[in-house]
Amino acid sequence: MTTVLCGVLAVGGCSTTESGNAQPSTTTDVAATAALWDPCSEIPDSTLTSLGLDATSERSGILGADEPGWKVCRWEDDAYPSNYSVGAYATIHTIDDLRAKTENIEFKDIVVAGRSGVQFRQSNYDANEDCSYAFPTSSGFVQLDMLNAGVSAKLVPPCERLQPIAETIVPLFPK
């Protein structure tokens, strides 16, 4: 599970001063992180439930820990066992930072709920497992992603599954 959640943080929360030596983000980043929109508190449980997500499955952060530069929230679908999960993120990083990561591939311009953004996936997932949408904000960007986990879930392309969810959640994102 750590790999899945950490892999979703496509830009990262550490900076490097020397090759291979990760350093904690600056105190400026900590303050900026605290001011970010929080998907766990800003997306109503009723919205999640209406989308077929289990609001009680909510997980904040990475295995419960905050990630510098990010506000992270994830929910499972309401099936048991779960077939897929949806994550919502706010970050101080930019879309250019997102595009610069070599692990992020297959970028495509999109418009969801009248808002321009980009669609991409992470190279460590198969095309039938992962789809992400990211939208610029005044403080960085917000992201919504779909991770298909179950074998039967992989029969529905993740971007196809994410689209109707995004149409409902994207209007809740900050500008």
Side-chain angles (χ1 to χ4, degrees):
M1 186 56 91
T2 302
T3 302
V4 169
L5 292 173
C6 292
V8 170
L9 295 180
V11 176
C14 293
S15 60
T16 57
T17 55
E18 296 177 24
S19 179
N21 293 329
Q23 302 296 316
S25 298
T26 66
T27 50
T28 303
D29 289 350
V30 171
T33 301
L36 285 171
W37 177 82
D38 184 356
C40 286
S41 62
E42 297 295 328
I43 300 174
D45 288 352
S46 59
T47 300
L48 298 167
T49 302
S50 74
L51 295 169
L53 298 170
D54 178 3
T56 65
S57 70
E58 179 176 291
R59 293 184 312 274
S60 176
I62 302 300
L63 299 175
D66 292 335
E67 179 69 23
W70 295 85
K71 293 278 181 148
V72 177
C73 204
R74 182 156 221 88
W75 305 269
E76 304 292 328
D77 70 306
D78 59 9
Y80 183 82
S82 179
N83 290 303
Y84 60 88
S85 64
V86 173
Y89 317 90
T91 184
I92 61 174
H93 300 284
T94 67
I95 295 287
D96 288 340
D97 294 334
L98 178 78
R99 287 181 179 275
K101 292 301 257 183
T102 57
E103 297 85 5
N104 298 332
I105 60 173
E106 299 175 6
F107 282 92
K108 175 178 140 181
D109 291 334
I110 58 169
V111 175
V112 176
R115 187 157 179 183
S116 296
V118 295
Q119 174 185 306
F120 68 99
R121 75 176 183 89
Q122 294 177 45
S123 61
N124 57 316
Y125 294 107
D126 292 336
N128 67 346
E129 293 176 320
D130 173 59
C131 181
S132 293
Y133 296 166
F135 304 89
T137 67
S138 61
S139 60
F141 71 85
V142 288
Q143 179 179 333
L144 193 62
D145 81 347
M146 169 67 60
L147 290 174
N148 280 338
V151 173
S152 64
K154 294 177 184 179
L155 299 175
V156 178
C159 291
E160 185 178 313
R161 190 184 305 276
L162 182 59
Q163 181 66 36
I165 293 170
E167 290 290 340
T168 299
I169 293 178
V170 167
L172 302 174
F173 285 168
K175 299 290 185 188

